[in-house]
Amino acid sequence: MQIPLSITFRHIEPSPALEQRIRQSVEKLEHLYGRITGCDVVVEAPQHGPKKGGLFIVSINLRVPGHEIAVTGPRPKDHTHEDAHVAVRDAFDAVARRLEDHARRTRGDVKTHWTPPG
């Protein structure tokens, strides 16, 4: 991995397995788009109040030249995000889709509609 990576765990003990999964996901993003200049990942556990359970929130801020791509989860009522690994997977899937869109735009692959001058 060549890019600077920051991983932060909030309200949760750092997990070597989760950290390894994040590093692997960032490596996949590097293969997808080689011009990534930095990545910040925050994994936040639910605050346990009177209720048990809750959804993990994973935020990813990916930096590419001249642009930032940010993703924050979870989706409303997505109970699969009660598992931190699933929340990380879904967040990286979302940021990968946005990164692919960005790559297409920078290559000029996105069609624009011609409008007559007027």
Side-chain angles (χ1 to χ4, degrees), residues 33-77:
Y33 188 76
R35 299 183 61 204
I36 298 171
T37 58
C39 182
D40 302 318
V41 180
V42 177
V43 180
E44 188 170 349
Q47 294 274 352
H48 294 293
K51 295 183 190 177
K52 290 189 177 182
L55 306 179
F56 283 89
I57 299 171
V58 178
S59 303
I60 302 172
N61 188 14
L62 196 64
R63 292 179 299 284
V64 296
H67 196 69
E68 285 193 16
I69 301 168
V71 170
T72 302
R75 284 168 268 164
K77 298 183 182 181

